[in-house]
Amino acid sequence: MFKSYLKIAWRNLRNNKWYSAINIFGLGVGLASFILVLLFLNYELSYDKWNPELEKIYKLGLEDKDGIAWNGATPEPLGRLIASKYSNAEAATRMGGAGDYEILVAANDKKIYQKGITEVDSLFFKVFPYQLSSGNINTVLNAPNAAVITESVKEKLFGHEDPIGKTIKLYGRLEVVVTGVMQSPDQPSALNMQILFRSPYEKSNNHWQNFSYQTFIKVKKDVRPQAFESAINNIYYNDQLKADNLTYQQYLEKENKTLVFSEKLSALHNFPKSGGSNFKTIVVLLVLAFLLLVAGAVNFSNLSIATSIKRAKEVGVRKVLGGRKKQLFWQFMGEAILSCSISLCIAALLVIALMPWFRQEFNIQFSIWGTNIPYFVLQIALCIVTVILLSGLYPSVFLSRFNTSKILKGNYSQGKSGLKLRNFLLVVQFTLSGFFVFAVIVISSQVHYMQTKDKGFSGSQIVRIEAQQSTREDGFDKARATLLSIPGVELVSKTTLVPGDAEVDTILNDYTFNGQTIKMTTVKVSADYFKTVGTPVLKGRSFNDSYADQNTRSIILNETAAQLWGDQKAVGSFVGMPYCDSVKAQVVGITKDINVQDMTNAVRPIAYSINNKACGYLSGGALLVKLSGNNLSQTISDIETRWKQIEPEVPVRYSFLDENFQRIFKTYYTIQKTISFFALVAILISAMGLFALTAYIIKERTKEIGIRKVLGAEIGDVVFLVGKLFLQLIIIALLIAIPVSWLAATKWLQTFAYRIHLSWLMAAATVLAIAVIVLITIGTQAVKAALSNPVKSLKTE
């Protein structure tokens, strides 16, 4: 019996090639999109799940009335304090590193640029459950200059040699000795650990004013987050903050307070309290991909119903010959299952073909085999079952319930209930299409706004050069003079906050003015910085070579910082700087705001100053070189040659500032392209479904159209006759789609500090786009029917 069902199903698919192709391919594209995004979601959710012990690890941070303090960094002794006084603490460690910045590493006559360079303390392996392939995990970090490298770094630097006891040089100056080789986890981690080292200067850094580290604590047994944070805050308050004989409960009632918060390591990647996450983007894409899948399933159901007129006599004959409803139901469900199975095969091929593009666009490394295979298979199985039920259940019931006597008399009508469901499915399809069209319009408008909005600087023909700290500090004048001697080099400057960098320092420091504390980000630059990036000084003057400017006795504020002064005149005012209590600095100018990141973050108040000779020390940043002339390739070649005079042991690494800034928006470009693709597919699916339903209705009303033509009906009359049946449904769909889309777009735009405003023109454009699609789809079929010979129509049985 089952074999017979398959033969009949295959024969019907082959006999209705056009409808079958639309059904299967539309569903296949929807499935492929959903599977790709599902793989993406599974990959993101797999972060820091490679060991059960990770569930016991928490990252600590400080939070005050202004939000996350010190950009998630904590005082160096915080972990030791909590571990010594919190009874449920197993161990604590602190770490600080370069993050995703590539650092020069030299060893064994080889030099590489490596990410994941992390300074740790001796207790690192007491907290994190990494395994070693070489070295004793209990003593590997005991030495003050010890280093542990991963197996991949070992291969790069030492090949097949044993690295234990070998010296490697970090940052071009710091020598450490390899004491162990660490195995990298086989699943993704929020912490990129490639080289762990202990700094020989760590003792001098062990004080409460040093906010250069992240603190992690491992608990003995699971604890509720509220109870955990309450306990560690009580300890922190009584040891460090207690004043005026206030109890801890009284301190909590104050408005201006600093509290310790915790983040579970396993949630750090997707649900961080400090920093960004891709998770919301993935969820949005998953929802849209699911809606696209629903559109494909609904289209399948609609097309099956539309072609039912061809199967009506078959059903009638089968019933006369003794066929039961149950047998007919499973026959038609078998056809749906076969079609969905073919769609799944097409989807699998599309996933394999699109996966390299998807990985590149979203900058992730995932694969089908890298995920939890049984769990993924279960997800896909549930998805396919849902699609089969959505697409095949009603058509199977619909076809199996045909009235035998009516069918054999030529009456194929199924009454109002069938029409209601058909109309409902059509409304669903065009609601989804309207939603996608509106989404594309909004996202494209926001991306265009971000591209064209004034960023406050010009990145054109500005080269960012990665330089060692010694070059940016004591060696800057020599480097600047060397680079300026190159034809085509117009200006050379430096900054600790480079526009377009993926990671920037957003820590707010306390500045004092007229008895009030004003939080601003400190940025160290050179005198020509604003001229190099083309940022105008709106009031006052720019920096110069005067003693006050060169010794951090003068500062320049950006517009956002100047607004914090209220009605006071900012230029000429004297400000108390952090780590510089004895001498105040004078505000000598106000410069235009520079948006150094994407539009999701508002420009922070910034105080610019020169050099690290006084008032705190800032590292990081880069040299900026402004080029002029048309022969840029020759100028770059000369820079590469002259750089050997500046840093003989380090090859020059450069990038263009405007290109770096555009990379920040890559995710939004990718989302725009992905949703545009979803919208195109949804519209095509809806148009195909509408096309098929139009053909079905025209087929049902062939004689009526013939009679109307004989009585004098024009082409327009026939088009209106067919179109009015769908006009009300399309209007209902748009009345649902526009408000829902508007609400969703408003929520999405709220994630941007700088955003467009929704306009009724966007809604009008959506309505116009859907109207054009509907008119073309219905019009082609209706015109074809209107132009047909009425004599043949009246002879139709």
Side-chain angles (χ1 to χ4, degrees):
M1 182 68 72
F2 179 73
K3 186 177 180 182
S4 174
Y5 286 165
L6 280 180
K7 282 185 177 179
I8 296 171
W10 178 253
R11 188 180 299 127
N12 281 310
L13 290 179
R14 193 174 56 193
N15 292 339
N16 297 282
K17 294 177 182 178
W18 191 78
Y19 283 103
S20 298
I22 293 174
N23 256 337
I24 292 169
F25 188 74
L27 195 55
V29 173
L31 272 170
S33 303
F34 184 77
I35 291 171
L36 271 174
V37 181
L38 185 63
L39 280 169
F40 190 5
L41 178 67
N42 287 340
Y43 175 81
E44 293 293 302
L45 291 176
S46 69
Y47 268 77
D48 293 308
K49 299 292 190 299
W50 48 272
N51 191 299
E53 292 296 302
L54 297 172
E55 291 294 324
K56 299 179 182 179
I57 301 174
Y58 292 82
K59 178 188 175 186
L60 304 184
L62 296 180
E63 187 173 14
D64 57 25
K65 64 181 180 65
D66 297 312
I68 304 298
W70 296 97
N71 204 27
T74 53
E76 195 280 339
L78 179 63
R80 291 195 300 276
L81 170 67
I82 302 301
S84 64
K85 297 191 176 184
Y86 179 53
S87 60
N88 192 31
E90 182 174 325
T93 187
R94 58 101 178 117
M95 66 180 71
D100 282 335
Y101 284 110
E102 293 183 334
I103 302 299
L104 180 67
V105 181
N108 204 29
D109 297 327
K110 292 183 181 179
K111 295 177 181 177
I112 62 172
Y113 281 99
Q114 181 64 50
K115 296 180 181 180
I117 313 295
T118 308
E119 181 194 341
V120 299
D121 59 21
S122 60
L123 298 175
F124 177 83
F125 289 111
K126 301 291 184 184
V127 175
F128 291 94
Y130 288 94
Q131 299 297 314
L132 299 184
S133 54
S134 296
N136 186 333
I137 202 165
N138 295 315
T139 60
V140 72
L141 288 173
N142 284 358
N145 63 339
V148 176
I149 62 177
T150 60
E151 292 177 335
S152 63
V153 173
K154 169 189 170 292
E155 290 296 322
K156 293 177 186 177
L157 292 175
F158 301 101
H160 298 295
E161 295 180 29
D162 183 6
I164 303 299
K166 301 287 181 65
T167 299
I168 60 177
K169 183 182 287 187
L170 307 176
Y171 303 95
R173 65 184 188 280
L174 183 63
E175 291 188 350
V176 291
V177 177
V178 178
T179 56
V181 178
M182 182 174 69
Q183 299 174 6
S184 296
D186 56 0
Q187 288 181 285
S189 174
L191 304 175
N192 182 17
M193 303 288 191
Q194 297 298 321
I195 298 179
L196 311 176
F197 74 96
R198 287 188 62 187
S199 170
Y201 313 110
E202 66 178 26
K203 286 187 178 180
S204 62
N205 294 328
N206 295 347
H207 54 85
W208 284 96
Q209 287 70 43
N210 184 358
F211 284 79
S212 303
Y213 300 99
Q214 294 178 331
T215 299
F216 292 84
I217 186 167
K218 184 178 182 181
V219 297
K220 296 175 183 177
K221 57 183 180 180
D222 198 18
V223 61
R224 289 185 300 107
Q226 297 87 346
F228 177 56
E229 291 185 357
S230 177
I232 60 178
N233 271 296
N234 207 327
I235 294 170
Y236 180 60
Y237 171 72
N238 285 296
D239 190 89
Q240 289 295 311
L241 305 179
K242 191 170 185 178
D244 301 326
N245 292 320
L246 292 178
T247 65
Y248 173 61
Q249 293 301 324
Q250 290 172 329
Y251 176 73
L252 291 179
E253 296 172 1
K254 291 180 60 177
E255 180 182 356
N256 188 14
K257 57 182 178 289
T258 300
L259 297 174
V260 183
F261 67 88
S262 64
E263 302 178 84
K264 217 168 190 179
L265 179 61
S266 57
L268 200 58
H269 179 73
N270 292 310
F271 310 103
K273 293 181 181 178
S274 57
S277 168
N278 286 331
F279 194 74
K280 288 183 179 179
T281 299
I282 301 166
V283 171
V284 169
L285 289 177
L286 186 68
V287 170
L288 294 178
F290 178 74
L291 292 178
L292 184 63
L293 187 60
V294 169
V298 168
N299 181 67
F300 189 105
S301 185
N302 261 348
L303 288 179
S304 298
I305 294 172
T307 57
S308 64
I309 191 170
K310 295 182 179 180
R311 309 289 302 277
K313 283 190 176 180
E314 176 192 341
V315 173
V317 171
R318 284 180 177 277
K319 285 192 172 185
V320 169
L321 296 176
R324 291 174 295 176
K325 286 184 180 180
K326 183 178 178 181
Q327 291 175 319
L328 292 169
F329 170 82
W330 282 111
Q331 177 189 323
F332 295 125
M333 276 299 290
E335 292 180 16
I337 292 170
L338 178 61
S339 297
C340 289
S341 299
I342 298 173
S343 296
L344 182 60
C345 294
I346 293 174
L349 295 175
L350 288 173
V351 167
I352 293 171
L354 292 173
M355 191 173 288
W357 173 85
F358 200 83
R359 282 196 294 247
Q360 180 181 355
E361 288 296 315
F362 285 96
N363 193 28
I364 54 173
Q365 296 299 321
F366 72 96
S367 67
I368 295 176
W369 311 116
T371 187
N372 186 334
I373 298 297
Y375 181 60
F376 179 65
V377 170
L378 178 62
Q379 289 176 320
I380 297 302
L382 289 174
C383 173
I384 292 298
V385 170
T386 302
V387 169
I388 290 173
L389 292 176
L390 283 174
S391 58
L393 185 60
Y394 181 74
S396 300
V397 174
F398 179 85
L399 290 168
S400 64
R401 292 180 62 187
F402 271 125
N403 186 293
T404 307
S405 60
K406 287 184 178 181
I407 290 171
L408 296 178
K409 291 178 181 179
N411 182 0
Y412 309 117
S413 173
Q414 287 298 299
K416 293 184 178 180
S417 61
L419 288 176
K420 286 180 180 179
L421 180 63
R422 185 197 70 190
N423 293 344
F424 170 75
L425 295 178
L426 191 65
V427 169
V428 170
Q429 278 188 299
F430 275 93
T431 298
L432 294 176
S433 296
F435 179 84
F436 277 114
V437 171
F438 192 87
V440 169
I441 293 173
V442 172
I443 292 171
S444 300
S445 300
Q446 177 64 20
V447 171
H448 176 72
Y449 172 77
M450 292 191 297
Q451 285 179 311
T452 56
K453 186 182 183 299
D454 184 9
K455 299 184 289 292
F457 73 97
S458 171
S460 177
Q461 294 190 324
I462 297 179
V463 176
R464 179 197 189 280
I465 298 181
E466 191 75 30
Q468 297 185 53
Q469 190 68 21
S470 58
T471 302
R472 297 195 301 271
E473 293 297 329
D474 296 336
F476 174 69
D477 290 337
K478 176 188 174 183
R480 179 173 177 271
T482 302
L483 292 172
L484 284 174
S485 66
I486 300 172
V489 173
E490 183 179 343
L491 293 164
V492 177
S493 63
K494 63 177 180 177
T495 176
T496 57
L497 186 63
V498 184
D501 277 4
E503 295 183 11
V504 297
D505 183 6
T506 55
I507 293 176
L508 295 175
N509 298 304
D510 290 338
Y511 288 73
T512 57
F513 173 73
N514 281 354
Q516 61 177 320
T517 299
I518 300 171
K519 288 185 175 294
M520 297 186 290
T521 295
T522 303
V523 178
K524 302 283 187 177
V525 297
S526 59
D528 286 339
Y529 170 70
F530 298 114
K531 190 183 295 184
T532 302
V533 297
T535 300
V537 176
L538 305 176
K539 293 181 181 179
R541 64 173 177 84
S542 186
F543 289 124
N544 54 41
D545 294 329
S546 66
Y547 178 86
D549 286 7
Q550 294 296 326
N551 287 273
T552 324
R553 295 295 179 263
S554 305
I555 63 173
I556 292 178
L557 307 177
N558 68 349
E559 292 175 282
T560 300
Q563 291 172 3
L564 299 178
W565 263 253
D567 296 330
Q568 301 290 335
K569 188 175 181 180
V571 177
S573 302
F574 285 88
V575 181
M577 298 183 67
Y579 312 109
C580 198
D581 297 332
S582 58
V583 180
K584 290 188 175 182
Q586 185 178 33
V587 178
V588 298
I590 298 173
T591 187
K592 191 173 184 179
D593 281 341
I594 298 177
N595 196 325
V596 297
Q597 295 178 287
D598 60 24
M599 303 299 171
T600 58
N601 299 296
V603 173
R604 294 205 168 211
I606 293 177
Y608 296 96
S609 57
I610 291 181
N611 286 334
N612 280 317
K613 295 180 181 178
C615 304
Y617 180 86
L618 286 179
S619 61
L623 304 186
L624 300 181
V625 179
K626 174 70 174 178
L627 307 183
S628 62
N630 298 320
N631 196 358
L632 295 183
S633 59
Q634 182 59 48
T635 304
I636 293 295
S637 178
D638 291 342
I639 290 174
E640 291 175 340
T641 302
R642 296 288 183 88
W643 190 255
K644 295 176 182 177
Q645 300 176 20
I646 301 170
E647 293 183 357
E649 298 182 356
V650 183
V652 65
R653 290 198 305 157
Y654 65 87
S655 58
F656 283 89
L657 211 61
D658 51 358
E659 293 177 359
N660 293 346
F661 203 87
Q662 287 301 312
R663 287 193 194 99
I664 296 177
F665 298 118
K666 183 178 179 181
T667 299
Y668 302 113
Y669 301 146
T670 302
I671 292 173
Q672 180 187 12
K673 288 187 286 188
T674 303
I675 295 181
S676 296
F677 171 75
F678 286 178
L680 178 62
V681 173
I683 289 169
L684 287 175
I685 288 174
S686 299
M688 289 187 297
L690 181 62
F691 186 85
L693 283 177
T694 305
Y696 169 72
I697 289 173
I698 288 175
K699 185 116 180 149
E700 273 193 327
R701 307 182 70 168
T702 301
K703 286 188 177 181
E704 178 187 347
I705 293 173
I707 293 171
R708 286 179 180 271
K709 287 190 66 178
V710 169
L711 296 176
E714 301 291 338
I715 293 177
D717 297 323
V718 176
V719 173
F720 178 75
L721 172 68
V722 178
K724 71 178 182 179
L725 300 173
F726 299 106
L727 181 62
Q728 183 180 5
L729 301 178
I730 303 303
I731 291 174
I732 293 172
L734 290 173
L735 287 176
I736 298 171
I738 297 300
V740 173
S741 304
W742 193 287
L743 180 62
T746 301
K747 292 288 186 182
W748 182 70
L749 289 172
Q750 285 174 353
T751 62
F752 296 89
Y754 306 100
R755 53 185 176 265
I756 61 171
H757 296 286
L758 296 180
S759 166
W760 66 268
L761 291 174
M762 295 177 177
T766 302
V767 173
L768 180 62
I770 297 298
V772 170
I773 293 166
V774 170
L775 182 62
I776 293 174
T777 304
I778 295 176
T780 52
Q781 286 281 67
V783 170
K784 181 181 176 182
L787 294 175
S788 63
N789 190 335
V791 176
K792 290 184 178 180
S793 301
L794 294 173
K795 287 182 179 180
T796 301
E797 295 184 4

